[in-house]
Amino acid sequence: MNATVMVIGYGNDLRSDDGIGQRIADEIASWHLSAVKSLAVHQLTPELADALANAELAIFVDAYIPSEFFDVRVRSLSPSIENAIAGHTADPQSLLALTQTLYGHCPPALWVTVPGVNFEFGDRISEITETGKAIALGKIMQILDKFKNFWMKSNLC
């Protein structure tokens, strides 16, 4: 697999479940997949646009506060300037829009969100979020497999 997938896990790792994005990104980095670059960051910053400009697929990973269902969600993302970058932080859609504007290219992107119930100061992950981590890692592996198969088929001579 020669195409590059950029996984960006973000959140505050000092706020319990909010750090799950970083933990997932760190675990993916430990897989040592040659075509996957995985970053664990506290927040999405404009500087990440450079890395995204060279990616063939972007996967953002974050925690969310569930209102009803406690499921791991995978959604497609599109560039959007609806939530403009404020100072040094961004959301995935505005970061994709910035990448498009600066580099003329923005990769297809997915947003994997894991339910979180404890956002208090600390580094312990709740049982719900720990379960969500395992599910999210499985879904990301499936995404990577599908992407690899698609990329290989579309690049056959």
Side-chain angles (χ1 to χ4, degrees), residues 98-120:
L98 178 64
T99 303
Q100 179 68 46
T101 299
L102 292 177
Y103 298 96
H105 167 73
C106 159
L110 299 169
W111 198 3
V112 178
T113 53
V114 179
V117 294
N118 177 14
F119 293 87
E120 300 294 322

Side-chain angles (χ1 to χ4, degrees), residues 10-94:
Y10 62 100
N12 187 340
D13 60 351
L14 299 176
R15 299 292 299 232
S16 301
D17 291 353
D18 195 42
I20 197 63
Q22 287 197 52
R23 288 181 183 216
I24 289 171
D26 285 339
E27 184 151 338
I28 292 170
S30 76
W31 296 347
H32 303 291
L33 302 172
S34 62
V36 178
K37 295 181 182 178
S38 187
L39 297 174
V41 297
H42 181 75
Q43 57 192 8
L44 300 178
T45 60
E47 294 80 9
L48 294 170
D50 184 53
L52 287 171
N54 297 312
E56 296 297 322
L57 175 67
I59 302 172
F60 295 90
V61 186
D62 192 19
Y64 79 98
I65 300 171
S67 58
E68 193 173 336
F69 300 104
F70 292 82
D71 55 344
V72 173
R73 299 176 182 171
V74 178
R75 293 175 280 181
S76 295
L77 290 174
S78 298
S80 172
I81 57 170
E82 204 170 286
N83 296 323
I85 297 175
H88 295 284
T89 62
D91 65 15
Q93 297 94 326
S94 61

